[in-house]
Amino acid sequence: MSTEMLKQIAASRLPLVMSATKDVDAVLKLRDAGLVLALVPSAADTAKMPGLRVVQVLAVTQKGFEALQQVRYPGERAREKGREIPAFF
């Protein structure tokens, strides 16, 4: 799962259209995991646009928001235990 892509989508105004190959691949993986609702063009539409891959992200699912709540940042666990660790060493 691409946590960074999920965070980017959650912070964006939706619907969001992406066409960069790495972004399309990341969104499709998130969709397969049930973390976002996303549409891809039909086979007929794809035939009209050879070589162009796009995906339209409609929403982050409840499962996606729950996954974002599980994200831990450097030093966060230490702060929970009462110790402060600088984010940058």
Side-chain angles (χ1 to χ4, degrees):
M1 173 185 74
S2 173
T3 304
E4 290 304 315
M5 178 59 72
L6 185 58
K7 287 193 297 188
Q8 179 183 338
I9 292 168
S12 298
R13 187 173 199 179
L14 301 176
L16 178 65
V17 176
M18 297 181 157
S19 60
T21 301
K22 67 178 184 68
D23 294 341
V24 171
D25 291 342
V27 169
L28 293 178
K29 287 178 185 175
L30 293 171
R31 183 182 75 168
D32 290 346
L35 303 176
V36 298
L37 294 176
L39 300 175
V40 293
S42 68
D45 290 337
T46 304
K48 296 175 191 172
M49 307 176 292
L52 180 64
R53 289 182 66 205
V54 296
V55 65
Q56 182 180 31
V57 183
L58 302 176
V60 176
T61 64
Q62 182 65 35
K63 185 177 177 181
F65 283 115
E66 289 169 0
L68 286 171
Q69 290 177 340
Q70 301 303 315
V71 173
R72 297 288 182 195
Y73 297 94
E76 185 174 355
R77 195 172 300 275
R79 280 192 293 277
E80 291 173 0
K81 294 180 180 179
R83 296 185 309 238
E84 190 68 34
I85 295 179
F88 301 99
F89 297 101

